[in-house]
Amino acid sequence: MSDKQTLALPDFVELYKRYRSMADRDGDFRSQLGKRVGAPDELGMRPAFYRLFPGTRPQSWAERVVFFLPFCRHADDAKPLGAQLAAERVSEARLFQVIRADEPNDLIQLRRLVQHVEPSVDWTEFGRLLYFWNERAKRTLLEDFFIHQPAKAK
């Protein structure tokens, strides 16, 4: 890939809107992708997962992103997830469980935190974090958490 070529990322906001539209019409669709799914790789055995990607084979990033769709609303320019975890006073220990775990346990732990906090995220940014989910993405989450720690009362 040359310097002038850039990686075209999926439109995560559009994917979220497609999910919401389908989930609002069909409760079974919502439940197939939500609480009944314990790990990202279980999505590959759910018809609802494939309905989100009509006419195409879902890419490797899709399970990571769809694993979080039922639990994060979209809001343009929302604070990063790490900042929201800090604002909700999630303990460092719980976040470090995410950071130190290997996939898929890291994503399972992160989804538990997300379910607890019920954040609104900017799916453009959060989708990008999940798309590139690796050590650098985890560090970004951790940095956002520590940079946005609420001031402690004296």
Side-chain angles (χ1 to χ4, degrees):
M1 190 179 292
S2 73
D3 292 342
K4 292 185 180 187
Q5 291 177 325
T6 58
L7 179 64
L9 293 177
D11 185 340
F12 300 111
V13 175
E14 183 57 39
L15 179 61
Y16 172 77
K17 289 177 181 177
R18 190 174 329 131
Y19 164 78
R20 287 298 325 159
S21 174
M22 295 170 93
D24 289 345
R25 286 184 307 214
D26 183 352
D28 185 52
F29 175 85
R30 182 182 319 125
S31 65
Q32 279 189 42
L33 300 179
K35 293 181 181 177
R36 284 198 232 162
V37 176
D41 63 349
E42 292 177 21
L43 289 164
M45 300 304 289
R46 309 292 173 142
F49 176 68
Y50 295 98
R51 286 199 296 268
L52 278 172
F53 303 95
T56 63
R57 185 180 311 270
Q59 300 293 312
S60 59
W61 55 266
E63 289 176 344
R64 290 189 303 270
V65 172
V66 173
F67 191 58
F68 288 88
L69 283 175
F71 306 102
C72 297
R73 295 174 304 279
H74 174 72
D76 291 328
D77 301 318
K79 289 182 180 179
L81 178 61
Q84 293 185 59
L85 296 175
E88 291 291 325
R89 300 190 184 277
V90 168
S91 74
E92 290 177 21
R94 289 197 66 195
L95 187 57
F96 273 104
Q97 284 179 328
V98 172
I99 303 305
R100 292 181 178 143
D102 293 325
E103 200 168 337
N105 292 331
D106 53 357
L107 293 167
I108 294 167
Q109 292 294 327
L110 181 60
R111 189 172 84 165
R112 288 179 184 151
L113 292 179
V114 162
Q115 287 174 297
H116 174 72
V117 174
E118 298 179 351
S120 290
V121 298
D122 181 336
W123 266 102
T124 301
E125 294 305 314
F126 187 52
R128 177 185 211 92
L129 184 82
L130 295 170
Y131 182 91
F132 291 111
W133 189 249
N134 57 22
E135 294 305 313
R136 181 68 203 134
K138 289 180 182 184
R139 184 170 178 170
T140 297
L141 178 67
L142 190 64
E143 287 171 350
D144 287 339
F145 177 80
F146 281 105
I147 289 168
H148 295 94
Q149 286 292 308
K152 294 184 180 181
K154 293 186 179 187

